[in-house]
Amino acid sequence: NFLAYAGRYELHDGYVLHHVETSIFTNLIGTTLKRGFQLQGDTLTITTLPPYLWGAQRKLVWKRT
């Protein structure tokens, strides 16, 4: 499965709100997605929070080079 979206975001304590302005799934445009995040050193991990799309938690890991 693949999901792509972009837009403004707000950081909060332990989670981020993504305000979807464009997406490959047009029904997400105009919605807000709440995601967990953790920043450790050069690594940012973003995780889905319940309710889960496609029935399971997903994780995205970015590492600065």
Side-chain angles (χ1 to χ4, degrees), residues 5 11-12 22 25 27 39 48 51 54 62:
Y5 58 86
L11 292 178
H12 295 271
T22 188
F25 292 107
N27 61 324
L39 181 60
T48 54
W54 301 302
W62 293 86

Side-chain angles (χ1 to χ4, degrees), residues 2-4 6 8-9 12 19 21 25 28 31 34-36 38 42-44 47 49 52 55 57-58 62 65:
F2 177 79
L3 173 61
R8 296 172 297 110
Y9 64 91
H12 295 271
H19 303 288
E21 296 174 9
F25 292 107
L28 288 179
T31 66
K34 185 176 182 179
R35 302 289 190 240
Q38 185 175 34
D42 290 338
T43 302
L44 170 65
T47 55
L49 299 172
Y52 299 128
Q57 185 179 50
R58 305 294 182 198
W62 293 86
T65 59

